[in-house]
Amino acid sequence: MDTMTQFLDVYAPAFLNWSRWIFVAIEVLGAVLFIGSIISRYAFKKPTEADFEFLLYGIIYLGVAVCFDVPMFWMSMAYVFAVYMLLFPILLTPKPKLFTYLFKPLAILSQIVYLGALFYNHHYEGFEWFWRLALLIGWFLVCYVLIWLTDGSTKENICTHCGRFGDNEKEDTRWEEDGCEYIYYKCAYCGETYRVKINEKKEKVKSEE
């Protein structure tokens, strides 16, 4: 226990002090991987508009990382986008589903590490310990919703026919005979239409006679 405490006493403050530069390094590495993926992808097909979401996210969150020196709980959200940017080049490869396996666990881990270090570093006591912990848990849930939405949106834009990720066009939303609601997309690469289930009717419970 003493060894763990000593470890946290040393590395929790160090991590927070270097957190924004860690974030910048992730962004730079993501940019290098992105450029390499774009170059290699021209051999298959020119990038779609979805590929360049990287640029928008990169500009906004790189700015956040550079401008704020004092660690704050809300800055953990920047790490969600840092993980997204780092893994984004995977979406430009023929195996974009690998992104969906890695993004959610790594994004959640980034929140736990950052918020945990922030909480430990302040050494709260008494009642403040409880309400600060409740605040961080609440904020973690907010970030989790963002992670969940980002992951879901990415999965919807992976074609079930060719397996490629792109800026796929939404064509229709309708209920089918199986009792499920689907969104139909047209793939930007192969031109095929595929569907994604978004809702399912609950079976009505028959009342006892």
Side-chain angles (χ1 to χ4, degrees), residues 35 59 68 74 77 82 96 133 136-137 142 159 162-163 189 196 206:
I35 293 172
I59 292 171
F68 292 90
W74 55 266
M77 185 176 286
L133 179 61
L136 292 185
I137 292 175
V142 171
C159 178
C162 68
Y189 284 89
V196 177
K206 295 181 179 180

Side-chain angles (χ1 to χ4, degrees), residues 23 27 56-66 77-78 81-82 146:
F23 179 76
E27 293 288 308
L56 175 61
Y57 289 132
I59 292 171
I60 294 174
Y61 289 92
L62 187 59
V64 170
V66 173
M77 185 176 286
F81 290 89
L146 175 63

Side-chain angles (χ1 to χ4, degrees), residues 153-201:
S153 176
T154 302
K155 289 179 179 177
E156 290 178 357
N157 281 284
I158 297 177
C159 178
T160 57
H161 295 289
C162 68
R164 304 290 299 201
F165 171 84
D167 189 21
N168 300 330
E169 181 182 356
K170 179 180 176 182
E171 290 191 325
D172 190 18
T173 302
R174 62 176 180 265
W175 291 90
E176 298 291 359
E177 294 180 355
D178 61 357
C180 299
E181 185 180 17
Y182 295 90
I183 296 180
Y184 284 80
Y185 291 92
K186 183 177 182 180
C187 180
Y189 284 89
C190 66
E192 296 290 335
T193 299
Y194 67 95
R195 67 182 187 178
V196 177
K197 185 169 71 173
I198 59 172
N199 203 355
E200 186 173 355
K201 289 182 179 179

Side-chain angles (χ1 to χ4, degrees), residues 38-201:
I38 287 292
I39 294 173
S40 63
R41 192 169 184 175
Y42 266 92
F44 178 78
K45 188 173 182 178
K46 290 184 179 180
T48 66
E49 293 180 5
D51 300 340
F52 292 97
E53 291 177 2
F54 175 94
L55 300 178
L56 175 61
Y57 289 132
I59 292 171
I60 294 174
Y61 289 92
L62 187 59
V64 170
V66 173
C67 294
F68 292 90
D69 292 326
V70 181
M72 297 290 290
F73 72 92
W74 55 266
M75 286 188 65
S76 71
M77 185 176 286
Y79 279 87
V80 176
F81 290 89
V83 173
Y84 178 84
M85 303 302 292
L86 183 61
L87 298 179
F88 190 87
I90 296 176
L91 295 174
L92 309 185
T93 70
K95 302 293 183 181
K97 281 191 176 181
L98 180 59
F99 176 96
T100 64
Y101 300 141
L102 296 176
F103 172 71
K104 186 180 288 187
L106 289 179
I108 291 175
L109 179 62
S110 73
Q111 299 306 294
I112 294 174
V113 171
Y114 184 84
L115 294 177
L118 186 65
F119 182 77
Y120 182 85
N121 194 53
H122 281 83
H123 301 289
Y124 298 117
E125 296 181 356
F127 178 73
E128 186 179 19
W129 189 94
F130 293 98
W131 78 261
R132 289 282 186 176
L133 179 61
L135 172 65
L136 292 185
I137 292 175
W139 179 250
F140 173 81
L141 294 177
V142 171
C143 291
Y144 180 80
V145 171
L146 175 63
I147 294 169
W148 178 74
L149 291 174
T150 303
D151 185 61
S153 176
T154 302
K155 289 179 179 177
E156 290 178 357
N157 281 284
I158 297 177
C159 178
T160 57
H161 295 289
C162 68
R164 304 290 299 201
F165 171 84
D167 189 21
N168 300 330
E169 181 182 356
K170 179 180 176 182
E171 290 191 325
D172 190 18
T173 302
R174 62 176 180 265
W175 291 90
E176 298 291 359
E177 294 180 355
D178 61 357
C180 299
E181 185 180 17
Y182 295 90
I183 296 180
Y184 284 80
Y185 291 92
K186 183 177 182 180
C187 180
Y189 284 89
C190 66
E192 296 290 335
T193 299
Y194 67 95
R195 67 182 187 178
V196 177
K197 185 169 71 173
I198 59 172
N199 203 355
E200 186 173 355
K201 289 182 179 179

